[in-house]
Amino acid sequence: MHEMSLCEGILQVIEAESARQGFNKVKTVWLEIGDLSGVEIESMRFCYDAVTRNSLAQGSSLNIINLPGQAWCMQCSKAVNVKQRFDECPDCGSYQLQVTSGDEMRIKELEVE
Amino acid sequence: MCTVCGCGEGESRIEGQATDHSHDHDHDHPHTHDHPHSHDHDHAHTHNHDGDHHHYGHGPAHAHAPGMSQTRMVQIEQDILGKNNEYAQANRKLFGSRGMLTLNLVSSPGSGKTSLLTRTLSDLKQELSLAVIEGDQETSNDAERIRATGVSAIQINTGKGCHLDAHQIGHAVEQLNPQQRSVLFIENVGNLVCPAAFDLGEASKVAILSITEGEDKPIKYPDMFHAADLLLLNKIDLLPYLNFDIDQCIEYARRVNPGIQILQVSATTGAGMQDWYEWIRLARQTRLIGYKPQQATAASTPAR
């Protein structure tokens, strides 16, 4: 997807929070990114460094918590892991899957000073 | 607003007017939407509590940083697209308060979205109260095509943007002021990627795929077909002249979204259009279940 602007969105949230919660420097950022969110992690890291330069998050480290893609298989009646939206069920091969999680893109928490 | 695709913030215009509340801010200013502005406040208050949990004001020293006296942990728990979602919730509330059905029409450029829409409007305008928000990067050509049908329309130009966002829709709705029990069509920018991620507050996304495109579009752009409730296969009158495998296309669409409903239509000949109208009527009926009409005075002022 468009990681540069996702990183800009992260910085916007951080800046808004710094005003609200009174911190001036961010040391670490934890993100939760799902396997089905379409985010390229390597690209995200590269962009993060570029976007946070000369900001309160300059030099901060980016920790990405990966959340697996999960779906409900209607044939097997159980939750299964998927890598992409159009994956088949790993057990029965059916495409009758309803994705239940894995499209998260969240800022979880910050270490600040 | 756009955090997904790098759309320039402050670039968008509604009928030629900038959407940044006429403040002379630099376009790159990160706080364009944080002005002390009544609708901003409503959103924050209404939605932060019942949606995501924000643990503001929690003291220092979360478990992650033991022994680091200068540092503290701050819980954020915010969606990267959270701001858009707040605006979308406010839109949804407004639509609900007026008993409106709002449909977000998404497709690639050239799928025949505007032709399909103008035919729909011409055929339904006697029966239903209709309104349209048109999204395009530039020009108001589409809004003019819509207005030629006699239905009120408003054009949003996204400038560098590749999709509509909920904030633009909120302002367009203020200006358009749709009637109670009306059907609002939002014709999104022709793009099968970014609009999937941006909730506008609509009841349903309707994807339009013309059979002059490839049958594998649903698996090439899975997020969009996953997000849609209805797929209209348009230009079905051209089937005899094309190598388009309809069954394969439907099978691909069901792979990414087992619950998607699929109708075959032609905006040119009118084939299948009655099914689409019936879908609209029934979707509108479900919006009106439990709907309590507002007082006549409230209908003319935005409920925010």
Side-chain angles (χ1 to χ4, degrees):
Chain A
M1 264 216 276
H2 315 272
E3 287 69 13
M4 183 63 89
S5 14
L6 283 177
C7 290
E8 287 171 357
I10 294 167
L11 188 59
Q12 275 184 28
V13 171
I14 291 175
E15 284 175 343
E17 288 298 313
S18 83
R20 206 173 317 183
Q21 305 209 38
F23 56 84
N24 304 313
K25 177 130 185 73
V26 175
K27 296 182 73 179
T28 316
V29 175
W30 278 268
L31 302 182
E32 287 178 327
I33 303 288
D35 274 347
L36 307 177
S37 66
V39 175
E40 291 294 333
I41 302 294
E42 281 317 303
S43 168
M44 186 93 157
R45 290 187 185 283
F46 176 84
C47 296
Y48 183 80
D49 288 344
V51 166
T52 54
R53 205 162 290 157
N54 297 323
S55 77
L56 77 170
Q58 176 162 2
S60 57
S61 60
L62 185 63
N63 282 314
I64 295 176
I65 302 162
N66 175 263
L67 301 175
Q70 285 220 312
W72 181 258
C73 175
M74 297 177 193
Q75 301 297 324
C76 305
S77 291
K78 66 175 185 186
V80 295
N81 290 330
V82 289
K83 290 271 174 244
Q84 291 171 105
R85 283 217 183 275
F86 51 89
D87 272 359
E88 71 276 24
C89 172
D91 288 352
C92 74
S94 160
Y95 287 103
Q96 294 274 304
L97 298 183
Q98 196 73 53
V99 169
T100 50
S101 67
D103 48 12
E104 297 84 355
M105 278 192 264
R106 294 167 65 80
I107 306 168
K108 187 167 166 46
E109 55 190 350
L110 309 174
E111 183 190 358
V112 300
E113 61 178 39
Chain B
M1 178 96 286
C2 178
T3 54
V4 167
C5 64
C7 304
E9 196 164 353
E11 297 270 348
S12 67
R13 298 175 301 287
I14 297 178
E15 295 286 317
Q17 303 278 311
T19 58
D20 61 355
H21 316 283
S22 70
H23 287 247
D24 271 332
H25 280 265
D26 176 20
H27 287 329
D28 291 322
H29 194 291
H31 296 296
T32 315
H33 303 291
D34 285 331
H35 301 303
H37 177 265
S38 63
H39 104 214
D40 224 19
H41 282 297
D42 283 342
H43 301 190
H45 289 186
T46 322
H47 302 290
N48 282 352
H49 297 300
D50 54 18
D52 302 331
H53 298 286
H54 294 211
H55 305 284
Y56 299 132
H58 272 209
H62 195 260
H64 286 283
M68 300 176 85
S69 58
Q70 292 291 304
T71 63
R72 63 192 170 103
M73 299 305 298
V74 176
Q75 297 277 321
I76 300 285
E77 300 282 347
Q78 276 192 41
D79 214 302
I80 297 177
L81 296 176
K83 198 124 197 179
N84 182 73
N85 294 342
E86 283 175 20
Y87 285 117
Q89 281 308 320
N91 292 347
R92 189 162 278 127
K93 198 172 157 191
L94 175 75
F95 298 150
S97 74
R98 294 193 188 185
M100 291 165 56
L101 168 68
T102 304
L103 299 175
N104 181 0
L105 309 185
V106 292
S107 80
S108 6
S111 64
K113 238 182 359 280
T114 311
S115 302
L116 189 130
L117 187 53
T118 49
R119 179 159 193 144
T120 304
L121 299 173
S122 302
D123 290 350
L124 292 182
K125 67 184 176 189
Q126 304 298 338
E127 177 187 341
L128 300 170
S129 169
L130 305 171
V132 175
I133 296 173
E134 273 292 331
D136 277 304
Q137 217 185 342
E138 295 295 344
T139 84
S140 55
N141 293 354
D142 278 0
E144 282 155 23
R145 278 175 73 187
I146 300 295
R147 285 184 199 125
T149 66
V151 171
S152 61
I154 199 158
Q155 178 82 46
I156 300 177
N157 287 128
T158 56
K160 286 179 186 159
C162 55
H163 61 266
L164 295 172
D165 65 48
H167 179 245
Q168 295 164 339
I169 296 300
H171 280 292
V173 167
E174 263 172 28
Q175 210 173 319
L176 199 58
N177 198 14
Q179 294 179 22
Q180 295 190 44
R181 303 165 187 267
S182 60
V183 180
L184 172 65
F185 296 95
I186 301 172
E187 185 180 338
N188 218 312
V189 179
N191 175 352
L192 284 175
V193 186
C194 307
F198 285 80
D199 185 7
L200 304 180
E202 73 273 358
S204 293
K205 286 190 178 69
V206 177
I208 297 154
L209 173 61
S210 71
I211 64 164
T212 53
E213 307 170 53
E215 58 260 327
D216 56 353
K217 274 267 167 82
I219 54 170
K220 278 183 171 168
Y221 300 95
D223 289 326
M224 183 58 86
F225 292 92
H226 178 76
D229 290 329
L230 176 68
L231 170 60
L232 297 177
L233 278 177
N234 193 23
K235 307 191 187 177
I236 204 77
D237 52 308
L238 299 178
L239 197 57
Y241 314 104
L242 299 168
N243 272 331
F244 186 89
D245 187 340
I246 288 216
D247 293 338
Q248 181 69 76
C249 182
I250 291 173
E251 201 258 320
Y252 283 147
R254 294 243 154 87
R255 271 194 210 178
V256 296
N257 183 354
I260 198 167
Q261 211 174 348
I262 302 168
L263 298 176
Q264 302 180 23
V265 301
S266 165
T268 307
T269 65
M273 293 295 278
Q274 290 305 325
D275 292 341
W276 157 231
Y277 301 155
E278 198 55 25
W279 190 92
I280 294 172
R281 289 185 193 106
L282 292 174
R284 177 173 168 272
Q285 285 301 319
T286 64
R287 294 288 124 186
L288 291 172
I289 295 170
Y291 169 63
K292 292 189 182 61
Q294 297 170 322
Q295 311 233 318
T297 49
S300 58
T301 49
R304 44 171 94 196

